[in-house]
Amino acid sequence: MFIPAYSHSGRHVRPNYNVLLLIILQFVPRTVEGVWPLPQTFTSSTERYPLNPQAFYFGYGSQSAVREGCSVLDAAFTRYFSLIFPANGILRFNQAGPFTVEVSVGHDDCEGYPGEDSSEKYSLSVSAGHASLKAETVWGALRGLETFSQLVYQDDSGSYFVNKTEIEDFPRFQFRGILLDTSRHYLPVQAILKTLDAMAYSKFNVFHWHIVDDPSFPYQSWTFPDLSSKGAFHPVTHIYTQSDVRRVISHARMRGIRVLPEFDSPGHTASWGKGQSNLLTPCYKGSTPTGTFGPVNPALPSTYHFMMKLFKEVSSVFPDSYIHLGGDEVNFSCWKSNPDVRAFMHKMGFGVDFTKLEAFYMESIVNITSALNKTSIVWQDVFDYHERRRFLSVVEVWKAGCYLCEVRKVAKAGLRIILAAPWYLDQPGPTHNWARYYTVWPLAFKGTEEQKKLVIGGEVCMWGEYVDATNLSPRLWPRASAAAERLWSDEKQTSSVEKASPRLMDFRCKLLRRGIQAEPLDVGHCQHEYQGI
């Protein structure tokens, strides 16, 4: 059974093309440059088929485990119809017959969430009047719909075409993330949602939400409401309500994106102390408190009671099986100055080794989240400074320098790895340096095949010191897309910057047409320049 593209109301989508925008007679490429990120196997022919928006349909295959009523795919059909046939630019109707994209999914996971083991594999076959998209899961089907949308192009006169194509595709790495920091600058929900849209276009599948930090605590907790009412930049305008968080998680789910929350401690917690007394360590000068505070106080039982309640809430709000616990850049000076902390260390037999105190704290927090059936991620500092590593699961490598040396150490310890070090995009730099993010080889370290399998993926980091909604998109895109291809595609097929450049320039133009403010890569133009204000 075939069904037409849907509107949100369930009625057939029939865009009104009676009133067209001004037709601008410019050159339009006669064929598509390619797909970004590059599929694993991709065979395309010069044989092309005309598409008529009024005779174009999405449908479910007769053997598909999911049917009409699948929330993820029904919404995707509507979304991709508008992306394939945007109502901005040249359009000329042709006499093309009907064309149907038939989607068949092996497992019914329509109402679930994408997870660490979700398959994103799909196959796509395009022939006359018909495209067949097959996937094991709805998440794989979403990736295939994105690929199909990039295959469609217009000729000089505005007619739509798609070429005869065969694709078999799957991601090289399972974890392909983008970190946004919403503490150093508050990002409006709409900016986050738009980033999720752009992530889907590049086949990213994890949104790492670094939601709180030293400067502000915008997450509105129902268990501890004072954390945001006293710790946010503003208790009303600069917070994420529970409704906001649900909206982000839902928007991400519909695009096959996991939402990974990070509540970083014991350092990076200055904003926490404003709304939670006795949580942070009082700093001393000699025997006198200075009135300033340091990291979370690991010596008090009340600290762990608080953390248990907070993470119980966080675990119920965020459905993903992963949670990021931070653990980076802990300054020991305040702990060293505090007599109660020093007494606790003596009692525990830690001597004056404050890395042992931090290890004790982090192990306690990991145990709390493990009891809530969450897999914890920590920054590499926790691995580097602690002898007891058995309690760790996933380590995120972030420090510059010989980051592959660190990857090798973590892999030799038998722990899973997320690589972030080469993809810190918040640092200002000319857009043409995208190649430095492309020529990254995550597995170029000495190790066994089993050790290399422990590298589960990588992540682009957009820290917020100098980033807010005014410059988020152009600083991310299209440079983040370079990392996206490295994490998705076959390395041997994508080792040449020169070969990738025309595809990335074409993809950047697609982003502009879809309303994403992606920076230029070089001198040139796009058929549809960015129009948003």
Side-chain angles (χ1 to χ4, degrees):
M1 178 196 75
F2 298 124
I3 55 174
Y6 297 108
S7 69
H8 289 293
S9 63
R11 296 189 296 273
H12 294 189
V13 170
R14 285 291 178 264
N16 181 5
Y17 289 107
N18 292 331
V19 181
L20 295 176
L21 298 174
L22 269 176
I23 295 177
I24 305 170
L25 297 175
Q26 297 182 54
F27 175 75
V28 181
R30 293 184 179 277
T31 59
V32 70
E33 286 288 349
V35 174
W36 195 282
L38 187 71
Q40 301 290 337
T41 64
F42 183 10
T43 308
S44 188
S45 159
T46 55
E47 183 179 339
R48 68 181 191 173
Y49 314 115
L51 302 178
N52 182 348
Q54 292 196 323
F56 182 92
Y57 306 94
F58 289 104
Y60 292 97
S62 58
Q63 302 301 311
S64 177
V66 302
R67 318 292 301 170
E68 182 178 353
C70 173
S71 59
V72 171
L73 290 184
D74 286 356
F77 292 164
T78 301
R79 192 166 66 248
Y80 276 103
F81 186 93
S82 298
L83 292 173
I84 293 167
F85 304 112
N88 57 346
I90 301 170
L91 174 69
R92 186 173 71 82
F93 290 107
N94 53 43
Q95 300 304 312
F99 191 100
T100 302
V101 178
E102 180 187 88
V103 179
S104 296
V105 177
H107 305 291
D108 185 355
D109 41 6
C110 286
E111 302 311 314
Y113 290 88
E116 59 177 314
D117 297 320
S118 295
S119 169
E120 295 170 281
K121 184 178 181 180
Y122 69 91
S123 64
L124 179 62
S125 176
V126 181
S127 54
H130 183 261
S132 174
L133 170 57
K134 296 180 180 178
E136 295 171 15
T137 67
V138 295
W139 321 118
L142 288 175
R143 305 298 173 240
L145 287 170
E146 175 56 40
T147 294
F148 180 83
S149 75
Q150 294 186 29
L151 293 174
V152 177
Y153 61 95
Q154 287 179 281
D155 68 3
D156 291 7
S157 66
S159 293
Y160 287 95
F161 292 91
V162 66
N163 286 31
K164 182 178 177 65
T165 306
E166 297 289 335
I167 289 174
E168 294 282 341
D169 202 13
F170 55 88
R172 181 185 179 202
F173 292 104
Q174 195 64 26
F175 187 107
R176 305 177 310 283
I178 284 188
L179 176 150
L180 295 184
D181 169 7
T182 58
S183 172
R184 290 175 175 87
H185 279 97
Y186 177 83
L187 293 174
V189 171
Q190 198 56 43
I192 296 174
L193 301 185
K194 196 166 188 177
T195 301
L196 291 169
D197 291 342
M199 286 172 64
Y201 304 152
S202 288
K203 297 186 172 74
F204 281 105
N205 69 341
V206 179
F207 167 39
H208 176 171
W209 196 349
H210 188 88
I211 193 167
V212 299
D213 205 297
D214 280 327
S216 74
F217 196 107
Y219 172 75
Q220 189 178 53
S221 165
W222 75 65
T223 311
F224 301 103
D226 281 353
L227 288 172
S228 62
S229 67
K230 296 179 180 178
F233 287 135
H234 189 281
V236 177
T237 59
H238 286 59
I239 61 169
Y240 300 108
T241 65
Q242 292 294 317
S243 175
D244 292 333
V245 172
R246 285 194 299 271
R247 188 178 172 199
V248 169
I249 292 170
S250 175
H251 197 87
R253 183 185 87 88
M254 299 301 271
R255 287 151 185 79
I257 297 171
R258 301 160 56 191
V259 179
L260 164 66
E262 180 182 358
F263 287 81
D264 187 358
S265 73
H268 291 283
T269 49
S271 65
W272 301 40
K274 296 174 183 177
Q276 184 66 23
S277 59
N278 301 318
L279 178 65
L280 303 185
T281 306
C283 306
Y284 279 71
K285 187 171 184 179
S287 60
T288 308
T290 63
T292 61
F293 296 87
V296 167
N297 190 338
L300 298 179
S302 59
T303 290
Y304 303 100
H305 292 310
F306 165 79
M307 290 294 183
M308 187 157 45
K309 288 181 180 177
L310 178 64
F311 282 114
K312 185 176 182 181
E313 175 189 321
V314 169
S315 296
S316 68
V317 170
F318 293 89
D320 198 77
S321 61
Y322 279 27
I323 190 166
H324 205 303
L325 300 178
D328 62 315
E329 299 180 315
V330 180
N331 187 326
F332 295 150
S333 60
C334 188
W335 282 353
K336 288 177 181 177
S337 76
N338 186 292
D340 295 328
V341 171
R342 292 199 305 269
F344 179 76
M345 288 187 63
H346 178 74
K347 174 185 167 186
M348 298 298 291
F350 296 157
V352 292
D353 187 348
F354 285 85
T355 62
K356 289 183 178 177
L357 178 61
E358 187 191 358
F360 169 82
Y361 171 83
M362 289 305 299
E363 187 166 355
S364 301
I365 302 304
V366 168
N367 288 340
I368 287 170
T369 53
S370 295
L372 296 165
N373 295 316
K374 296 290 185 181
T375 299
S376 59
I377 304 175
V378 295
W379 295 108
Q380 73 177 75
D381 313 47
V382 181
F383 173 85
D384 290 344
Y385 301 133
H386 306 140
E387 295 172 3
R388 286 169 54 90
R389 293 168 174 168
R390 287 174 298 173
F391 70 94
L392 300 177
S393 299
V394 185
V395 175
E396 184 160 6
V397 174
W398 69 274
K399 293 184 179 180
C402 185
Y403 56 81
L404 288 180
C405 302
E406 181 76 8
V407 169
R408 185 184 180 199
K409 284 182 197 170
V410 179
K412 285 183 77 173
L415 302 173
R416 284 168 284 171
I417 301 136
I418 296 165
L419 180 61
W423 293 307
Y424 268 48
L425 264 60
D426 56 296
Q427 306 298 325
T431 307
H432 63 254
N433 72 359
W434 68 272
R436 66 187 278 197
Y437 307 114
Y438 192 72
T439 52
V440 172
W441 321 116
L443 302 185
F445 63 92
K446 290 182 180 178
T448 66
E449 285 305 306
E450 288 305 307
Q451 287 170 348
K452 293 190 177 188
K453 285 178 184 174
L454 291 170
V455 181
I456 61 174
E459 180 167 270
V460 167
C461 293
M462 185 56 71
W463 297 102
E465 282 90 346
Y466 307 103
V467 177
D468 65 8
T470 64
N471 62 348
L472 172 63
S473 284
R475 195 161 285 190
L476 258 183
W477 313 109
R479 293 186 301 164
S481 300
E485 180 151 290
R486 180 56 53 238
L487 293 169
W488 178 282
S489 305
D490 177 75
E491 189 170 282
K492 290 179 181 176
Q493 295 182 61
T494 56
S495 58
S496 167
V497 170
E498 187 179 0
K499 288 181 180 177
S501 187
R503 275 190 307 111
L504 186 56
M505 291 180 77
D506 181 65
F507 181 66
R508 184 236 168 200
C509 288
K510 288 188 176 83
L511 292 178
L512 292 190
R513 194 170 190 189
R514 294 178 178 191
I516 304 300
Q517 292 168 277
E519 283 186 336
L521 291 157
D522 207 337
V523 175
H525 82 289
C526 292
Q527 167 64 13
H528 301 278
E529 300 289 2
Y530 182 76
Q531 298 295 324
I533 302 297

